Amino acid sequence: MPWIDACATDDIDEEDVIRFDHGAKSYAIYHGVDGEFYCTDGICTHEHAHLSEGLVLDFEIECPKHNGLFDYRTGKAKRAPVCVDLVTYPTKVETGRVLVDLS
């Protein structure tokens, strides 16, 4: 699958997240405090809440529904009630756009 243009780099403030829908799926795209961009599945693995409505602190996203916590760089579930990791996707930046490999 080719790289997909998800958003402009300016669309996401540092240490923030936005929702990106493609096909029938939702994704979350993060702008890390390291200046890098990251992408995970956009739905919490616990109760199906949209992670784009959650709170980003450092390299973690807190689910808005039950405060579960994930490391968005690795997808690792870090705090109950979440116990299933998120799927992560490669990203790259070209000419001010964030591209995601959803394959």
Side-chain angles (χ1 to χ4, degrees), residues 47-67:
E47 286 283 333
H48 306 289
H50 284 277
L51 293 173
S52 61
E53 297 171 12
L55 178 65
V56 176
L57 293 169
D58 294 322
F59 294 107
E60 298 173 333
I61 178 71
E62 183 180 73
C63 178
K65 196 165 188 180
H66 294 116
N67 303 323

Side-chain angles (χ1 to χ4, degrees), residues 12-72:
I12 315 170
D13 292 331
E14 190 172 288
E15 203 171 5
D16 205 359
V17 59
I18 64 168
R19 178 176 169 176
F20 170 64
D21 294 329
H22 183 74
K25 283 189 74 174
S26 284
Y27 302 90
I29 300 176
Y30 311 84
H31 188 172
V33 293
D34 59 357
E36 299 292 322
F37 291 85
Y38 301 88
C39 181
T40 68
D41 281 338
I43 305 296
C44 181
T45 58
H46 175 241
E47 286 283 333
H48 306 289
H50 284 277
L51 293 173
S52 61
E53 297 171 12
L55 178 65
V56 176
L57 293 169
D58 294 322
F59 294 107
E60 298 173 333
I61 178 71
E62 183 180 73
C63 178
K65 196 165 188 180
H66 294 116
N67 303 323
L69 198 66
F70 299 95
D71 182 324
Y72 60 75

Side-chain angles (χ1 to χ4, degrees), residues 66-95:
H66 294 116
N67 303 323
L69 198 66
F70 299 95
D71 182 324
Y72 60 75
R73 298 169 298 179
T74 62
K76 185 80 177 152
K78 296 186 72 179
R79 182 172 69 208
V82 297
C83 56
V84 176
D85 296 346
L86 292 170
V87 175
T88 61
Y89 303 90
T91 64
K92 66 180 179 179
V93 174
E94 289 184 356
T95 60

